[in-house]
Amino acid sequence: MMIDPVIDRSLYPFTSRWFTSSAGRVHYVDEGSGRPIVFCHGSPTWSFAFRHVIRALRGQYRCIAVDHLGFGLSERPDDFDYTVRSHVAVLGELIDHLDLNDLIVVGHDWGGPIGLAATTQRSHRVSGVALTNTALWPIEAVANRAFSAVMGTSFMQRRILDDNLLIERVLLGRAGPDLGATEADHYRRVQPAGARHGLAVIPTEIRTARPLLAELADTVPLTLGRVPSVAVWGMRDKVFPARSSLPRLQAMFEDLEVTELGSSGHLVPEESPDALADAISTRFRP
């Protein structure tokens, strides 16, 4: 299934590009030139979340932002399982297809595990890592695991599929970023009724993707642990609290610089895009 939402190109002024992966058609943007940066979004967002960061960096870097299958403008294949491991495989295909080298991988939320799992398998292509409010290890917090269990119930799965719960109540709820009406609509439009199965699967992955996350905890230090890296953290985030998350990242990466954003919560690309762009450009000067 393909969707065709109306996109305001003054907000998202990028050329849409398409890659036919083994699982379905993937939408991505590829803006600017220079050292490539691959932006990996989480849930329930899409590449739109990185629009301000891309605008800030595309004059000096080649900015590539992918929409995972089931998200953004990408296809919703009926035979795709929408698990994190499957998203990893598709992203890896795109990186190989574009033949990216000397790349910086940027991951937010589930985009961290997806981006890092794809690039640990291609560590020879990677020269920088930038992470923001994510986790590269099994998620043990009781609140997060409870959220996963509740979202996996048949009742809540129907709320996600029928009522767009993760967009309306989570992303656009009181705890979400301060978005204008038009910006909020760009998150709604890409998740129309009948196209939300990818959204429904991801919360359950907090528990079911544990083997993949455990693999990452072991393989990231071995394959990417010496790569120059930066963590840009929204310190008000209750999903991935800095107190527990940053020490784990500091143990995984030998050359990690940390930027703490005291006024930002979970969705740093929306809440503090200039700070994220500045941290990336400062850490990885073109």
Side-chain angles (χ1 to χ4, degrees):
M1 176 182 180
M2 296 295 298
I3 63 170
D4 188 23
V6 176
I7 302 299
D8 184 342
R9 293 296 173 177
S10 68
L11 290 177
Y12 187 76
F14 313 126
T15 300
S16 288
R17 303 178 188 275
W18 301 92
F19 167 61
T20 303
S21 75
S22 63
R25 291 189 74 210
V26 175
H27 173 265
Y28 68 101
V29 299
D30 191 341
E31 298 284 316
S33 60
R35 188 176 178 185
I37 304 177
V38 177
F39 293 91
C40 304
H41 70 83
S43 177
T45 63
W46 58 294
S47 59
F48 183 79
F50 288 110
R51 65 196 179 282
H52 298 303
V53 183
I54 295 170
R55 277 175 143 170
L57 296 178
R58 64 180 174 177
Q60 297 177 300
Y61 301 88
R62 180 183 176 187
C63 296
I64 300 156
V66 62
D67 293 342
H68 309 308
L69 291 173
F71 293 83
L73 305 183
S74 287
E75 189 176 3
R76 274 72 171 164
D78 291 335
D79 57 352
F80 189 66
D81 64 13
Y82 299 98
T83 62
V84 171
R85 195 177 292 275
S86 294
H87 289 308
V88 169
V90 172
L91 177 62
E93 289 182 24
L94 177 61
I95 291 172
D96 292 343
H97 170 73
L98 296 176
D99 194 23
L100 300 178
N101 292 294
D102 191 27
L103 71 88
I104 302 161
V105 59
V106 178
H108 171 255
D109 190 78
W110 279 109
I114 293 170
L116 270 292
T119 51
T120 53
Q121 301 168 21
R122 298 163 177 82
S123 58
H124 63 286
R125 296 185 180 272
V126 182
S127 59
V129 173
L131 299 169
T132 177
N133 296 75
T134 186
L136 306 177
W137 47 82
I139 300 168
E140 304 290 2
V142 173
N144 291 346
R145 292 179 64 80
F147 172 81
S148 178
V150 170
M151 288 298 117
T153 63
S154 59
F155 175 75
M156 296 307 290
Q157 287 282 294
R158 293 314 317 171
R159 291 287 310 279
I160 295 170
L161 295 171
D162 296 342
D163 303 330
N164 214 8
L165 177 74
L166 293 180
I167 297 294
E168 299 295 346
R169 299 298 182 187
V170 178
L171 179 64
L172 303 180
R174 289 184 179 181
D178 184 16
L179 298 173
T182 304
E183 293 171 313
D185 281 344
H186 279 66
Y187 286 108
R188 293 187 177 102
R189 290 172 185 167
V190 298
Q191 293 295 351
R196 299 170 186 153
H197 188 60
L199 278 182
V201 170
I202 287 294
T204 67
E205 287 287 274
I206 293 172
R207 293 171 301 146
T208 56
R210 181 183 175 87
L212 172 65
L213 294 170
E215 290 172 21
L216 275 182
D218 291 335
T219 59
V220 167
L222 294 175
T223 59
L224 299 174
R226 295 184 178 180
V227 171
S229 52
V230 62
V232 185
W233 223 258
M235 302 299 285
R236 298 174 64 184
D237 186 8
K238 295 181 180 180
V239 180
F240 301 116
R243 183 175 60 181
S244 56
S245 299
L246 290 178
R248 295 205 66 162
L249 288 179
Q250 289 167 328
M252 296 177 84
F253 295 95
E254 297 180 15
D255 189 11
L256 178 74
E257 294 183 1
V258 176
T259 297
E260 298 182 357
L261 305 177
S263 62
S264 294
H266 177 67
L267 194 54
V268 168
E270 282 282 11
E271 297 177 61
S272 301
D274 292 341
L276 178 56
D278 288 346
I280 293 171
S281 63
T282 299
R283 186 68 173 106
F284 309 109
R285 296 191 182 277

